[in-house]
């Protein structure tokens, strides 16, 4: 059976700017052939079973030549695979997408094209530059500034000047002096506003707004490098007024997120929305206990307990699933009161159709213990092995009967230390959402100097653990994800 090729525009990097159809295409792919400009966050969407071919890798400074890429696509499709050709931005805008289709067409391979958000429009937008504005221009021109080494640019500068439109140059960093000179010679005013935006839309975006006459010198002084976009036109003068991306509170900040892989999404997303560069570095994972005779025995006599206590969102999920597998359901909990350590855990109960009877005012084990001080037993504690001792100590001291049953284990992951080690030389912001993430983080970096780590901790217990490892800490006001994000935002704003 013959395969097919979908040419997909991956957009400029932010996964939020990948189209829904593009995402669908990636998810169904068996083979993904991708370029240098496709961001890691988008590559992360490729299904685990799919084969990836990196044709942007510059092995000894030679990228895979275009004719070879064309042949790879043909070969994989002929072998019957669903192939996705992922390209940065839009696949047809200076993306050689057309060339790749020619060979497929000649061999009768079915193909589709999913357009992408192009950097030509989106990078200026993130730099606060509307590419057209009725007061300033009535056209937009997108030009490649790429020239073969040593060759002249083949650009009709006179024609460009006459349009009086906004000019956007891609691949123009090397040729920037020639481009500006060409426009000046063709009669454009040296005072014409002009800008260059490097690594646009990324947390490391740098923008330079100047004039046509002075831009080459300014770009040289700032050591602007590729990828960058050059914009020439009066609209550039709006850049300061409409600056929004550079003004985000965490712009330029790198934040390490140590949460388990399957739970990191929300925190990462919130931090990215504030402009941060997020490094996902999962230090722990929650693993359900396959064999759990103690829990099974407790489930046989749930009616005997007065309280059932959960200390993380994993608890209700695992507990209810096991109950279901044993042929029981929520009715087995009739008469049993439910306590949750915080709103996320209460939310997990809610998803099982259960309401938490008790959530402490401050979301940690100490406060949960205090809130449970006056209850009558027996209490069933359903939580991680090696959990905090605050609850068992309290119940023992008060003579409240309880069973402390480990339902899941927190195992330490071995994330790729290479992703974090280079950051540790300067101040490094690391989020910790439990004491175990702190331990996992420290364990993953044996012998590393952690003196520049600023631990952004969800609660007091987490902070206590971080302090024992000599980390500087800041603690969220309430032990919630929202409060942690707020703490990071405030820290970014220097509060
Ligand atoms: N098809 C792509 C463009 C490929 S040409 C698109 O539609 O976006 C590559 C050029 O795109 C780079 O040389 C640079 O000029 C521009 N570019 C791509 N990503 C960029 C980014 N994040 N910041 C600035 N320029 C970028």
């Amino acid at each position: 059976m013959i395969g097919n090729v979908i040419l997909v525009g991956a957009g400029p990097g932010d996964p939020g700017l990948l189209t829904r159809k593009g995402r669908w295409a990636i998810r169904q792919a068996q083979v993904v052939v991708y370029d240098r400009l496709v961001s890691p966050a988008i590559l992360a969407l490729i299904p685990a079973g799919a084969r990836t071919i990196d044709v942007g890798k510059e092995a000894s400074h030679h990228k895979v030549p275009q004719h070879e890429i064309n042949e790879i696509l043909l070969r994989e499709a002929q072998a019957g695979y669903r192939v996705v050709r992922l390209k940065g931005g839009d696949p047809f805008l200076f993306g050689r997408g057309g060339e790749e289709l020619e060979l497929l067409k000649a061999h009768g391979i079915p193909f589709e094209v999913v357009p992408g958000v192009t950097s030509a429009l989106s990078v200026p937008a993130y730099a606060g530059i509307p590419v057209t504005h009725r007061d300033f221009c009535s056209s937009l021109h997108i030009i490649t500034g790429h020239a073969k080494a040593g060759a002249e640019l083949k650009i009709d500068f006179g024609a460009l000047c006459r349009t009086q439109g906004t000019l956007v140059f891609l691949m123009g960093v090397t040729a920037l002096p020639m481009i500006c000179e060409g426009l000046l010679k063709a009669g454009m005013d040296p005072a014409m506003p002009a800008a260059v935006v490097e690594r646009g839309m990324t947390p490391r975006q740098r923008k330079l707004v100047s004039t046509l006459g002075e831009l080459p010198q300014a770009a040289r002084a700032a050591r602007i490098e590729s990828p960058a976009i050059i914009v020439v036109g009066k609209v550039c003068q709006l850049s300061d007024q409409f600056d929004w991306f550079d003004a985000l509170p965490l712009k330029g900040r790198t934040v390490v997120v140590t949460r388990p892989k399957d739970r990191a999404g929300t925190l990462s997303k919130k931090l990215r929305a504030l402009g941060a560069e997020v490094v996902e570095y999962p230090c722990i994972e929650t693993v359900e206990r396959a064999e759990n005779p103690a829990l099974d025995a407790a489930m046989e006599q749930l009616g005997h307990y007065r309280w059932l206590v959960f200390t993380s969102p994993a608890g209700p999920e695992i507990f209810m699933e096991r109950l279901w597998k044993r042929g029981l359901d929520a009715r087995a909990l009739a008469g049993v009161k439910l306590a949750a350590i915080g709103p996320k855990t209460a939310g997990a109960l809610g998803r099982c159709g259960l309401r938490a009877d008790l959530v402490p005012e401050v979301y940690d084990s100490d406060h949960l213990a205090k809130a449970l001080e006056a209850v009558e037993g027996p209490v069933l504690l359903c939580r991680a092995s090696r959990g905090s001792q605050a609850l068992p100590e309290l119940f023992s001291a008060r003579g409240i009967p309880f069973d402390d049953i480990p339902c899941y284990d927190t195992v330490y992951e071995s994330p790729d230390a290479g992703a974090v080690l280079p950051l540790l030389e300067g101040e490094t912001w690391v989020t910790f959402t439990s004491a175990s993430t702190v331990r996992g983080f420290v364990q993953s970096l044996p012998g590393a100097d952690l003196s520049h780590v600023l631990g952004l901790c969800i609660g007091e217990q987490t902070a206590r653990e971080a302090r024992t490892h000599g980390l500087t800490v800041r603690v969220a006001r309430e032990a919630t994800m929202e409060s942690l994000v707020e703490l990071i935002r405030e820290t970014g704003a220097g509060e």
Side-chain angles (χ1 to χ4, degrees), residues 11-12 36-37 87-95 116-120 123 169-173 197-202 226-230:
R36 188 174 62 96
L37 278 176
K87 301 170 83 76
D90 181 86
F92 279 167
L93 189 78
F94 302 134
V117 172
T118 176
S119 59
V123 169
F169 293 89
L170 271 60
M171 297 182 276
V173 176
V197 188
E198 178 191 74
R199 295 184 221 245
M201 323 182 64
T202 74
S226 177
I229 267 183
I230 302 158

Side-chain angles (χ1 to χ4, degrees), residues 256-260 279 281-284 430-433 437-438 441:
V256 180
V257 171
T258 57
R259 303 207 80 198
V279 175
Y281 188 71
C283 293
I284 59 161
V430 185
T431 63
F432 294 117
T433 47
T437 59
V438 178
F441 179 78

Side-chain angles (χ1 to χ4, degrees), residues 249-332:
L250 296 180
K251 175 72 201 335
R253 265 282 156 209
T254 303
V255 183
V256 180
V257 171
T258 57
R259 303 207 80 198
K261 224 181 290 155
D262 51 343
R263 298 194 184 274
T266 331
L267 181 58
S268 300
K269 213 183 268 176
K270 286 187 174 153
L271 295 176
R272 285 196 184 110
L274 292 171
E277 174 151 56
V278 173
V279 175
E280 285 190 352
Y281 188 71
C283 293
I284 59 161
E285 198 188 356
T286 307
V287 185
E288 183 183 353
R289 292 200 159 182
E291 297 293 322
N292 202 338
L295 183 58
D296 292 342
M299 282 185 173
E300 289 306 318
Q301 42 160 348
L302 280 176
H304 146 86
Y305 294 102
R306 302 289 285 272
W307 281 89
L308 173 54
V309 180
F310 293 107
T311 59
S312 89
E317 287 162 17
I318 288 171
F319 186 92
M320 293 311 290
E321 217 166 278
R322 199 167 184 99
L323 197 64
W324 182 266
K325 278 194 198 134
R326 297 184 61 77
L328 297 164
D329 61 26
R331 287 170 296 179

Side-chain angles (χ1 to χ4, degrees), residues 56-319:
K57 208 189 281 166
E58 298 195 29
S60 67
H61 300 290
H62 287 293
K63 282 192 265 183
V64 178
Q66 188 62 47
H67 71 90
E68 255 176 57
I69 299 177
N70 302 350
E71 278 154 23
I72 292 171
L73 296 177
L74 178 63
R75 188 185 70 214
E76 297 294 341
Q78 279 177 333
Y81 293 112
R82 291 190 299 272
V83 183
V84 158
R85 170 68 175 121
L86 251 190
K87 301 170 83 76
D90 181 86
F92 279 167
L93 189 78
F94 302 134
R96 307 186 74 169
E99 291 163 58
E100 294 176 2
L101 296 189
E102 281 163 12
L103 192 67
L104 300 176
K105 178 74 194 166
H107 287 79
I109 305 287
F111 60 82
E112 282 180 45
V113 182
V114 181
V117 172
T118 176
S119 59
L121 302 180
S122 55
V123 169
Y126 272 54
I129 302 173
V131 285
T132 71
H133 188 294
R134 286 219 305 197
D135 293 346
F136 300 124
C137 62
S138 55
S139 68
L140 162 71
H141 310 270
I142 302 171
I143 306 122
T144 168
H146 180 74
K148 288 223 169 82
E152 291 273 306
L153 286 173
K154 285 204 204 93
I155 300 175
D156 183 344
F157 289 108
L160 288 181
C161 285
R162 281 192 297 280
T163 67
Q164 302 199 11
T166 303
L167 308 179
V168 172
F169 293 89
L170 271 60
M171 297 182 276
V173 176
T174 316
L176 177 63
M178 285 194 274
I179 291 170
C180 294
E181 197 187 294
L183 291 170
L184 289 170
K185 276 197 182 143
M188 194 179 276
D189 183 356
M192 176 66 86
V196 53
V197 188
E198 178 191 74
R199 295 184 221 245
M201 323 182 64
T202 74
R204 282 180 281 165
Q205 164 173 307
R206 288 200 297 160
K207 93 176 163 188
L208 250 170
V209 184
S210 179
T211 59
L212 183 63
E214 286 169 10
L215 191 64
Q217 167 58 24
R220 200 174 321 122
R223 295 175 191 280
I224 293 289
E225 284 179 16
S226 177
I229 267 183
I230 302 158
V231 189
V232 179
K234 292 190 183 139
V235 287
C236 292
Q237 74 197 45
L238 299 168
S239 168
D240 274 350
Q241 188 187 339
F242 295 149
D243 185 43
W244 64 275
F245 183 63
D246 280 333
L248 290 174
L250 296 180
K251 175 72 201 335
R253 265 282 156 209
T254 303
V255 183
V256 180
V257 171
T258 57
R259 303 207 80 198
K261 224 181 290 155
D262 51 343
R263 298 194 184 274
T266 331
L267 181 58
S268 300
K269 213 183 268 176
K270 286 187 174 153
L271 295 176
R272 285 196 184 110
L274 292 171
E277 174 151 56
V278 173
V279 175
E280 285 190 352
Y281 188 71
C283 293
I284 59 161
E285 198 188 356
T286 307
V287 185
E288 183 183 353
R289 292 200 159 182
E291 297 293 322
N292 202 338
L295 183 58
D296 292 342
M299 282 185 173
E300 289 306 318
Q301 42 160 348
L302 280 176
H304 146 86
Y305 294 102
R306 302 289 285 272
W307 281 89
L308 173 54
V309 180
F310 293 107
T311 59
S312 89
E317 287 162 17
I318 288 171
F319 186 92

Side-chain angles (χ1 to χ4, degrees), residues 32 42 60 100 110 196 333 374 407 426:
V32 178
I42 300 232
S60 67
E100 294 176 2
V196 53
L333 291 169
C407 293

